[in-house]
């Protein structure tokens, strides 16, 4: 899923300085699962913003809504009615950055603001802890690495084993993270792929990554 | 001018070379650099010129390498894959070649987190093994990584780093084998303080026949004080420095520690060159380069260079 984190309140207050009536829109997708922008987090954030602004002597009206998903234009359409009726000057989107971008494109005269920092594609490590697993390079090769991704999980994205900064099984760049290369090596050894591990890989083709330009997937069998 | 490698010739002919390391400063002053590198002249066979070491922005490795050449010192130009993609790296390789720089050292480079621009975007388009392969193909065959041709062929003498101290040892030997297979001519190891562990790694490398396929240079690093040794050991990814070395420095008053560090360095060189398969030493004396002639002389390396 997409892992996101709420921006600090002072940053959000600065963004909202020119607004007195906003709609705070959450999302029931990934950001609900990672506790950043679901119904509950929207309620907490709305309250925090109201209290902070009241303290500043400039109260703000914050209405709450949580869409099924903000990454589909159809659901963004659900915002039309409340926006028309309540005349909000801005929508603060607590979705990954697809949400505020869709809102900006859908509502020409409305300010769209991000409440979250979209962090990465990842999974739950333990309760309240998420880690990155995929960089979205567009050309998955984890089968060459025992099913683990060095492109994402090695701090230098190396393809041939650990650097000298791997010590005690940890990564020098992020000592709270394991050196993925030790896990890859041990795993490939266990599943009888040591020879495959040794093989020299050609330079990676990054054209399927962001460096190839903005990406788009289109499926002929699904397009109308 | 054709890129040349006296280092390659020395290694092939005598099988023993002495190299040292120079870390370019952040500087716009050519004369100051010339003054700093003059200590290396006629003392070592070639000098590694670091490429923005520890991710600190400093004078370009190719430019300092050219300054060395102009001053009669053979450079080994370092290229790290952290800051440049395959286009820029190959451009620098071709540029180095036409300037007469024939030795290169291919490495991934320290992560930018440890440097003076921690907010910089890194590149890591390719890794060190791939850079070695690209350099080999470019120099030997005049072929660029993308498949197009490069005019002229002028083989590089290619160096690579190896870490004898990582765990497990078999993985460290695989890393070495990959670099040799990709085309490395010589290896400079991480600084050796733990001779026992170095010997175990060398034995494993010998078993795989690797020390016959590549010139292995053992790296020594000058320790200036017990404090310096402790901080080198203490940081993540730091050096494997046995306690007895630190204690030996620690037991002396601070002002005597530098001389003791020099003695330790000389002893290490003398011990390491006896390890089977070692074909030279690489000396690192960050900030104390002026001591290198003394180290080379006390370790008897001048005689060895002359004799062979």
């Amino acid at each position: 899923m997409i892992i996101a984190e709420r921006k600090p309140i002072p940053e959000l207050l600065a963004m909202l300085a020119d607004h007195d009536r906003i709609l705070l829109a959450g999302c029931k997708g990934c950001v609900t699962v990672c506790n950043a922008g679901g119904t509950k987090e929207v309620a907490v954030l709305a309250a925090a913003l109201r209290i902070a602004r009241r303290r500043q002597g400039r109260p703000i009206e914050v209405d709450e809504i949580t869409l099924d998903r903000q990454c589909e234009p159809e659901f963004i359409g659900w915002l039309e009615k409340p926006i028309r009726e309540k005349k909000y000057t801005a929508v603060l989107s607590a979705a990954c950055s697809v949400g505020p971008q869709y809102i900006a494109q859908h509502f020409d005269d409305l300010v769209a603001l991000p409440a979250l920092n979209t962090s990465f594609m990842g999974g739950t490590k333990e309760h309240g802890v998420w880690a990155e697993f995929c960089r979205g390079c567009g050309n998955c090769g984890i089968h060459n690495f025992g099913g683990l991704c060095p492109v994402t999980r090695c701090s230098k994205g190396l393809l041939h084993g650990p650097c000298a900064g791997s010590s005690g099984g940890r990564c020098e760049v992020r000592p709270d993270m394991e050196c993925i290369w030790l896990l890859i090596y041990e795993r490939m050894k266990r599943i009888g792929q040591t020879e495959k591990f040794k093989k020299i890989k050609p330079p990676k083709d990054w054209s399927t990554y962001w460096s190839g330009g903005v990406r788009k997937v289109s499926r002929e069998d699904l397009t109308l | 001018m054709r890129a040349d490698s006296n280092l390659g010739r020395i290694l092939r002919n005598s099988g023993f070379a002495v190299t040292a390391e120079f870390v370019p400063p952040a500087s716009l002053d050519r004369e100051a650099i010339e003054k700093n590198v003059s200590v290396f002249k006629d003392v070592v066979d070639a000098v590694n010129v670091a490429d923005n070491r520890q991710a600190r922005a400093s004078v370009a490795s190719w430019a300092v390498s050219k300054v060395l050449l102009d001053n009669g010192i053979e450079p080994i130009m370092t290229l790290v894959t952290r800051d440049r993609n395959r286009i820029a790296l190959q451009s620098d390789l071709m540029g180095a070649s036409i300037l007469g720089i024939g030795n290169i050292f291919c490495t991934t480079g320290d992560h930018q987190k440890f440097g003076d621009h921690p907010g910089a975007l890194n590149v890591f388009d390719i890794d060190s093994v791939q850079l070695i392969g690209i350099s080999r193909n470019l120099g030997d065959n005049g072929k660029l990584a993308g498949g197009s041709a490069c005019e002229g062929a002028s083989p590089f003498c290619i160096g690579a780093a190896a870490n004898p101290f990582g765990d497990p040892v078999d993985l460290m030997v695989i890393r070495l084998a990959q670099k040799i297979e990709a085309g490395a001519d010589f290896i400079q190891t991480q600084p050796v303080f733990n001779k026992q562990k170095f010997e175990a790694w060398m034995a494993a490398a010998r078993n795989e026949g690797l020390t016959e396929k590549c010139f292995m240079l053992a790296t020594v690093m000058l320790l200036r004080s017990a404090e310096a040794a402790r901080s080198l050991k203490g940081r993540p990814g730091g050096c494997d420095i046995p306690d007895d070395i630190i204690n030996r420095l620690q037991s002396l008053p601070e002002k005597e520690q530098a001389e003791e560090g020099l003695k330790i360095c000389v002893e290490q060189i003398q011990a390491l060159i006896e390890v089977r398969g070692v074909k030279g030493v690489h000396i690192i004396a960050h900030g104390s380069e002026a001591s290198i002639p003394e180290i080379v002389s006390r370790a008897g390396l001048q005689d060895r260079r002359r004799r062979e």
Side-chain angles (χ1 to χ4, degrees), chain B residues 53-307:
Chain B
R53 185 176 168 272
Q54 286 189 330
R56 295 180 163 273
S58 42
V59 196
S61 179
W62 67 264
V64 176
S65 294
K66 178 67 167 73
V67 170
L68 259 67
L69 269 184
D70 292 346
N71 283 271
I73 303 159
E74 179 155 321
I76 303 170
M77 180 182 88
T78 303
L79 287 162
V80 303
T81 64
R82 177 194 60 230
D83 306 322
R84 282 159 292 175
N85 68 9
R86 66 193 79 175
I87 301 171
L89 288 165
Q90 291 179 107
S91 173
D92 281 355
L93 282 167
M94 292 183 273
S97 189
I98 66 164
L99 289 176
I101 299 162
N103 304 313
I104 56 161
F105 187 76
C106 302
T107 177
T108 305
D110 300 305
H111 195 272
Q112 74 278 6
K113 174 187 168 176
F114 302 105
D116 54 1
H117 296 77
L121 181 68
N122 60 37
V123 179
F124 299 123
D125 172 28
I126 55 174
D127 66 16
S128 55
V129 174
Q130 293 163 338
L131 178 59
I132 293 165
I134 285 173
S135 308
R136 185 90 274 158
N137 200 28
L138 178 63
D140 290 10
N141 310 320
K143 275 269 169 59
L144 291 161
S148 48
C150 159
E151 208 179 332
S154 179
F156 292 103
C157 178
I158 302 172
N163 180 16
F165 309 106
D167 283 316
V169 171
D170 49 345
L171 174 56
M172 297 303 121
V173 174
I174 289 174
R175 291 284 284 145
L176 172 66
Q178 286 172 327
K179 291 181 178 185
I180 294 172
E181 188 189 334
D185 295 300
F186 68 95
I187 294 290
Q188 289 165 329
T189 66
Q190 292 289 318
V192 181
F193 295 101
N194 185 339
K195 187 170 170 255
Q196 218 175 357
K197 202 153 183 188
F198 174 73
E199 282 186 314
W201 175 79
M202 279 295 287
R206 277 198 309 269
N207 280 343
E208 299 289 323
L210 297 173
T211 56
E212 298 303 313
K213 294 180 182 164
C214 191
F215 298 102
M216 307 289 293
L217 274 61
T219 297
V220 291
M221 186 188 262
L222 177 64
L223 296 171
R224 282 172 294 179
S225 65
E227 179 52 40
R230 267 196 303 271
S231 82
L232 268 173
K233 183 178 181 161
R235 64 181 162 86
C239 297
D240 178 352
I241 307 180
D243 286 336
D244 57 345
I245 291 185
I246 296 178
N247 294 340
R248 192 171 147 187
L249 290 165
Q250 185 66 55
S251 67
L252 295 166
E254 241 169 76
K255 61 178 191 321
E256 290 170 32
Q257 290 181 4
E259 167 59 22
E260 194 65 15
L262 205 134
K263 274 189 199 155
I264 291 171
C265 187
V266 168
E267 288 166 19
Q268 280 169 330
I269 292 174
Q270 288 167 335
L272 290 172
I273 60 180
E274 297 306 324
V275 175
R276 199 146 61 87
V278 169
K279 302 285 170 59
V281 286
H282 177 56
I283 306 167
I284 300 179
H286 295 147
S288 300
E289 282 75 13
S291 303
I292 289 179
E294 176 76 11
I295 293 170
V296 167
S297 147
R298 282 208 222 171
L301 294 175
Q302 284 294 32
D303 295 342
R304 184 160 186 146
R305 285 179 61 214
R306 267 197 295 275
R307 191 173 65 239

